[in-house]
Each structure stands twice: as C-alpha cells, then as structure tokens.
Amino acid sequence: MIKKLETNKKMGELLQEYYIRGLFEDYRAWITSGGPVEFLYSMGVYPVYPENHAALIGAAKEGVNYASISEGDGYSQDLCSYVRCDIGAIISGNSPVGGLPVPSFLVSANNICNTVVKWYEILSRTYDVPLFLLDIPFIRKEMKENYIDYVESQMYDLIKFISTITGRDFDEDEFYKTAVLSIKGIKSYEEVLRMGAHKPSPLTCFDAFINMAPIVCLRGTEAPINFYEGMKAELDERVKNGIGAVDNEEVRLLWDNIPIWYGLRWLADFFAEHNACLVADTYTNAWTFFGDLDLNNPIRGMAQAYSPIYLNIGIERMAEVVNKLIDIYDIDGVVMHSNRSCKPYSFSQYELQKMLDVPSVIIDADQTDYRVFSQAQIETRLEAFLEMLR
Amino acid sequence: MKEGLYRKIGYFCTFTPKELIHAAGFTPIRLLADNTPINRANAYIQNYCCSQVKGCLEKMLNGDLELDGAVFTRSCDSLMRLTDIWELNSNIPVYDLEFPTNIGDKSKGYFLNELLDFKKWLESLNGDEKITFDNLKDSIMLYYDLDKKLDRLYSLNPEYNLAIKALTSNPAIALDEIEKRLNHLNNQSMNEIEKNIDKKKAKILVTGSICPSTDIYEIIQDSGFSIVDDFCTGTRFFKSDAILPEINNMDDAMNFLIQKYFLKAPCPTKHYDNDRRFAYILEKAKDVDGVIFLLVKFCEPHFFDYPQLRKKIEEIGKKTLLLEFELPITSFDQIKLRINAFSEMF
Ligand code: SF4
Ligand code: SF4
C-alpha cells in the first residue's frame, strides 16, 4: 500500500490560500504553465493556471462531466482534454474549486504546445480581454541567436503590455528579486525530486505530481521554497530510517508524460503491489529546466531559460534528457503514457523508445478523460513489462 | 548544379516561401496525403494524429517520394513532431523553417533572419550555388502571375484540380494551363459565362485545412451548391493582400516575401492582431448562403476555431455543417448523404 506524506496536507492548505488570494487581487492573468510568471509576480499581477485547474478536475474524477459540457458546445472530443475541462467549467460556471476567477488579461506561451495558442484565443474571445502571445520558436536542434533575440524582444513587449493594462511601472529590482526567488524555488523543488535517486526511493512520482502545484503556480514567491524544504525534511527522515515509498523496491521506473490524474491512486497501488517504484518522471523534472537562469541579464536570461524546455525541443534532445534522468535515478524501465490530449508530448514517444538506454512500455490513456482508458488492458501490459524487467 | 538530384523539394505548410525554393532551382511540391492506405506509419506515430501527417509519412516510408529535401514549419503539434520522425527515418534532408506564429510588425525582423537561414540551406542543397537576385525575382514574378491568374480563374469558374496542380507540380506548366483556361473563358462572351453560372444555386463557403480530393468538390456541386473555398489546396494557396512593389535588389525581394506571406489569406495555425482570421471568414460568410466546415479528423487548429466561428456565422443568419473526414477517403457515400441533407435546407 502507498504511504502518504504529511506534506500533502500542507499542500492543500497552501493551494487553498492561493485560490482565495485570487479573489481579492486587482489584476489577474491566466497564464500557461510554461509562461514566464516572474513578470506577473514582480508587477503585482496574480497568476491563474487553467492547466492546473483542469488537472484538479481530472484528479477529482470530474473530467468527463466537464469535458462533455464543452463537447456539447461544439468542441471535438479529439482536442486536449485540459481545454475541454476548463471550457466546460466556464460554461457551467462551476468546478471542484468553484471555477476560476475572471481574467483581466491573458498570457500564453507556445513553448509547451501550439494548442495553448488556440485555447487562449478562445479565452480572449470568451472574456473579451487582451491576449499576449509569447511566440517561442521550436528549438529542434540549436538555439539560434535569432530565436533568443526574438523571444527577448517579446519579453519587453510583455512588460509594456502589463504596464499599459495595470498602469504600473516595471521595477528592475523587484523583477530581480522575483527571479532569484524563482530560481531558489526551482532548486528546492529539484532537491526534492532528486531524493528519488536514493535506494529505496523515499518518494514516488505520484508524490511529485500531487505536490507540483506550488512550483507551477507560486514560482517567484517565497511559498514554494519553504514548502519544498519541508517536504525534503520529511523525505530525509525516511531515508535516514531506510523507509522506501514502496515496500521491497525491486524495480525502479521512470514515468513519461502528464499523469493520468483520475488514475493516480490506482496506478500507485498497482506499482506498490508489484514492488515497483516510479522514482521519477519527465513531467515534474521539466520544471527544473527554468533553473538555469542567467541573473546577470535576467530578461535575456528568461528568454534563454524558457525557450529550450522539454516540450519545445527535438526528439534527439529529448532522448538526451531522458537518458540523463535514467542515469541519475538508476532506472530499470520507462513507462510511457501515450496521452491522447497532449500531442507534442506523445508523438515523440515511438522514436524515443528506440533511443533510450533501458526498455520501455507504452500505455494508452488520457490525462483527464477516462472514456479512453481501459484499466484491464493497462494492467496486463504493465504486468508483462514488469515481468520482463525482473 | 549538383548531379543526381530530383530537383524537387517537398513542403508541408502553405506559408513556406515557395519562391526561394524555386529560385534555388527546385520545384516546390506541397506534400499531401492521398489514397495510400496507412499501415507502416502506425509504428511511427499514434493513431490520434491527423491523417494528413500520417498519410505523408506513409508515402515517405514506402519510398514513394523522390525529393531532395523536405521543409517543415511548426504549424501544429503534429507537424512539429513529424519533423524529427521524418528525419530519423529517411535520407531526405529536413529543414524546419520557424515561421512565426505571431503575425505582425514585431515578428518581421525575426522572420527575415529565418528566411536568410533558409536561403543558405537551399543553397547548400544545391551544391553551394547562390540564389541570385535575378533568379529570385523571376520566381517571385512567376508565382505572382500564377497567384493572380488563379485568383481570376477562381472568381469566374473555379477549377480545383488546377490549383492542386499548381501546388504539386511545375508552376510554369500549371500557369500555362491556367492561361489557356482563362483565354477560353475570355473568348466566351460574358453572356455565355453568366449562363453557366446558375444564379439560383445556393452559394456555399467550404473551409478547412486541406481538401486534396476534387471528388468532394464535385459532390458539393452536384448537390446544387456553388463553392467558395478556404483551403490550403485552394484559395489560401494563392491569395495574399500584398501588392507587388518595384523589386530592385535582394532586400526588396526578401521584404516582398515577408509582406506576401504575412498578408496571405489567414490560417488558424497563426495568431493575428484583431482576430484577423475570424474577421476574414465572417466577411466571406456574408456573401454566401451557408458554410461547410470540412475538417480533417484530429486537426486541432481548425477544430479549436470551429465552435466560436460557427456561432458567429450562425448569428449572421447562415446555416452551417460540420463534416469530418480522414485520408484516404474510403467511402464518399457518407459525405454525399450529409451534403445532400444539408442542401435540402436551402
Ligand atoms: S496539448 Fe499538452 S501541453 Fe498543451 S495544454 Fe494540452 S496537455 Fe498541456
Ligand atoms: S491537417 Fe491540421 S493537424 Fe494536420 S498537419 Fe494540417 S494543420 Fe496540422
């Protein structure tokens, strides 16, 4: 059986605080998970994360309810279910957390997918608020100077955009402070994730998933630093006492792609029962990318850090990243979630499989829409895979 | 000139500047899925990918494409990933042209640099032979002529196979044929042409990413509609609001290309100020009786636009129909049935 972390409770409190704060702020911007939130925090704008909200709907097993509402409005069932869930929540005016606060403006960065361009255009029409599209070229191979110049120039446009709407000036010192907090948050999150390298691992990727909201939503504030330090202390304790997240850890696995939010518990139990531990994943580790920020020139540094993130690089570079994780965490096998929603994440998998240093298995599902998910089929497939690894 | 070349370069997005490819001595070929059944591609990309991507991949894996290069743009998530899958599994040199998603003054400088890099790549494919100003100017003029004449032909009597020919084969030969058709039409008196245009027919706007099958157009016409199209395999190929300036040097030529592709008929894979694509479609919708969304299954950019666009079109009193298809099209009966039913509403 899975062992729960005390930290999970604190996470709930932190998130609640974060959600409540949103109701009282003057300016709220909806922003994509790969967007440079540091500009918002440093200019006193409260960031709202529709992706996180959709994940929450998925984890509450409400994905199909909300997705169906948007499908009734004409959205195809083949579109990313995060979008379908959130649009369903907007139409119904409800969600497990009572819906999201209305945006003052929108910031979308296409470094995670092209889907968010369309998604945010829809939001912009729905709420009749301005949209800033941060257009980040796909870094398939090298990161050309021209790309960084282009992204950097847009960072200045973004500042002007926020300034015009809020009437607030950009303060370089404030921004610097936010950037420092952001890096610190990422570093402490990274330390938590790296605890998975211990044998046995004191955490599973499910712990990482459940506790990722602070680094996404509160990056650039003090909150994630303290939170992950607390989480790390709890994990240190486990390591000191030789306690693994899974009893009798025999097989060490890496998860690829966004979680199957409605199936977290079931999957966690399944692996624990089979003495297998998902010690890390490519999804949460993706956030550690932002950590390489050049503080000497933070705005250009932002352009450099936000461009080559995991979903915005070519498959060969992705393979390098995954093989590095396989090495760091001493992984025996990779479990790939072929996720109908997320095409940029999933369409690389068949090629990736050929490039990885360890065997891998693909399971078909969706991040929030459980209509395309067959528990029995996945179990059979995973059992065969684990058998093969032993 | 390098020996042993096919002298053909395939491309995937209508926003690829064909003029540069042509000026480098290659025929730009728009790659399109066709009747090839999809088998092998399933081992390289998931089945929830659009059939345009899967179909082209299949043709490449079958060795059916004789190309000196393939040019990709990051227009959608499927194409973005296809670039690597293609490169890893073929000997065809691959280039990804990072056409900006944000179309506007602010991305012009960036795009110019991308174009210059693209030019270098094309030259390297051609044994480092430089693209000369004269060649580029000739190619620009050729395509300008082709665009204008196709536009004229489409306004008189659209012949969908001719646009498809123009984008999948030698443009000079296609131009020749288009000119012949135009001459033929010019020789007919206006009366005769008008006679052929049945005024009682309901006019329909058909919109989507690609429509590589002229059979579908025929079905629509046979159901009693006259067609206005919004496809990369039709109007989006040749329509741009850019006006040809005097082109005296390389800078002029490059600037015109930027202008031309930025002012091209808008596509949902790009982001425009003031919601230009919606405005464009709504403007076109005003002059028709109804709109058919003819969309390739799994084509996200178009499916994301659909619900809000449909609503706005219906708000101005036009009927709409959503038709989803996959390539190869195995049965036209279903499509025929739906279109016939739709035509009865007029
Ligand atoms: S396509 Fe993938 S990255 Fe984009 S919003 Fe959906 S889940 Fe997120
Ligand atoms: S049909 Fe749509 S999804 Fe497919 S390649 Fe074209 S734009 Fe992309």
Side-chain angles (χ1 to χ4, degrees), chain A residues 189-228:
Chain A
Y189 183 55
E190 192 173 356
E191 278 180 27
V192 162
L193 296 179
R194 290 290 183 265
M195 293 299 286
H198 285 280
K199 287 182 183 174
S201 168
L203 87 168
T204 68
C205 72
F206 303 105
D207 299 310
F209 293 151
I210 297 169
N211 293 300
M212 73 185 293
I215 199 59
V216 181
C217 306
L218 293 156
R219 189 170 70 249
T221 70
E222 297 276 355
I225 309 172
N226 305 334
F227 174 77
Y228 291 116

Side-chain angles (χ1 to χ4, degrees), chain A residues 58-325:
Chain A
K61 298 192 169 65
E62 298 268 9
V64 174
N65 298 348
Y66 288 99
S68 314
I69 297 174
S70 65
E71 286 155 24
D73 204 43
Y75 290 91
S76 161
Q77 209 179 314
D78 299 324
L79 295 169
C80 169
S81 64
Y82 274 2
V83 189
R84 280 181 286 136
C85 284
D86 272 342
I87 290 180
I90 293 172
I91 296 173
S92 71
N94 200 4
S95 86
V97 289
L100 288 178
V102 171
S104 325
F105 60 92
L106 308 159
V107 179
S108 172
N110 58 356
N111 55 350
I112 51 169
C113 61
N114 294 289
T115 293
V116 293
V117 178
K118 304 310 296 174
W119 184 358
Y120 278 62
E121 283 177 355
I122 292 167
L123 291 174
S124 174
R125 289 184 205 107
T126 305
Y127 288 109
D128 196 17
V129 291
L131 158 63
F132 187 92
L133 172 67
L134 181 64
D135 184 13
I136 303 186
F138 172 39
I139 317 290
R140 194 170 75 93
K141 299 222 154 131
E142 22 129 38
M143 184 150 73
K144 296 187 200 168
E145 275 312 286
N146 183 38
Y147 294 174
I148 304 169
D149 291 344
Y150 178 46
V151 179
E152 184 189 8
S153 76
Q154 293 176 73
M155 297 282 185
Y156 288 98
D157 296 337
L158 175 60
I159 292 171
K160 260 186 251 148
F161 174 85
I162 302 172
S163 240
T164 310
I165 294 173
T166 61
R168 293 176 190 156
D169 286 334
F170 178 73
D171 181 333
E172 265 181 49
D173 294 337
E174 259 323 298
F175 183 71
Y176 187 85
K177 266 190 237 158
T178 312
V180 170
L181 287 178
S182 179
I183 295 177
K184 277 193 186 158
I186 288 162
K187 293 287 172 219
S188 58
Y189 183 55
E190 192 173 356
E191 278 180 27
V192 162
L193 296 179
R194 290 290 183 265
M195 293 299 286
H198 285 280
K199 287 182 183 174
S201 168
L203 87 168
T204 68
C205 72
F206 303 105
D207 299 310
F209 293 151
I210 297 169
N211 293 300
M212 73 185 293
I215 199 59
V216 181
C217 306
L218 293 156
R219 189 170 70 249
T221 70
E222 297 276 355
I225 309 172
N226 305 334
F227 174 77
Y228 291 116
E229 276 169 2
M231 183 168 175
K232 168 118 191 319
E234 197 186 349
L235 295 171
D236 277 334
E237 200 57 31
R238 278 193 181 176
V239 171
K240 213 168 75 194
N241 299 320
I243 299 173
V246 163
D247 291 331
N248 310 318
E249 175 191 291
E250 288 172 6
V251 179
R252 295 169 63 81
L253 301 168
L254 180 80
W255 176 270
D256 180 56
N257 214 311
I258 296 173
I260 301 172
W261 288 112
Y262 48 87
L264 283 186
R265 261 311 274 281
W266 161 69
L267 270 173
D269 284 343
F270 174 88
F271 284 107
E273 277 161 24
H274 289 77
N275 300 342
C277 184
L278 281 150
V279 300
D281 68 279
T282 56
Y283 186 51
T284 56
N285 272 279
W287 262 270
T288 62
F289 272 62
F290 303 124
D292 307 323
L293 183 66
D294 176 11
L295 279 172
N296 293 321
N297 190 350
I299 294 186
R300 190 167 179 82
M302 285 281 161
Q304 276 159 334
Y306 276 92
S307 293
I309 64 166
Y310 188 66
L311 285 184
N312 201 41
I313 53 178
I315 296 178
E316 281 175 316
R317 291 185 66 173
M318 291 172 107
E320 279 169 32
V321 173
V322 180
N323 278 330
K324 202 174 136 202
L325 293 177

Side-chain angles (χ1 to χ4, degrees), chain B residues 50 52-53 75-76 78-79 209-210 269 296 298-302:
Chain B
C50 83
Q52 153 66 359
V53 160
S75 306
C76 60
S78 309
L79 267 189
S209 62
I210 50 166
T269 64
V296 179
F298 299 114
C299 172
E300 297 197 304
H302 283 270

Side-chain angles (χ1 to χ4, degrees), chain A residues 114 118 125 136 141 338 344, chain B residues 48 74 81 87 275 308:
Chain A
N114 294 289
K118 304 310 296 174
R125 289 184 205 107
I136 303 186
K141 299 222 154 131
S338 170
Chain B
Y48 46 91
R74 185 268 291 272
R81 285 294 170 230
E87 185 173 69
D275 218 355
Q308 288 182 328

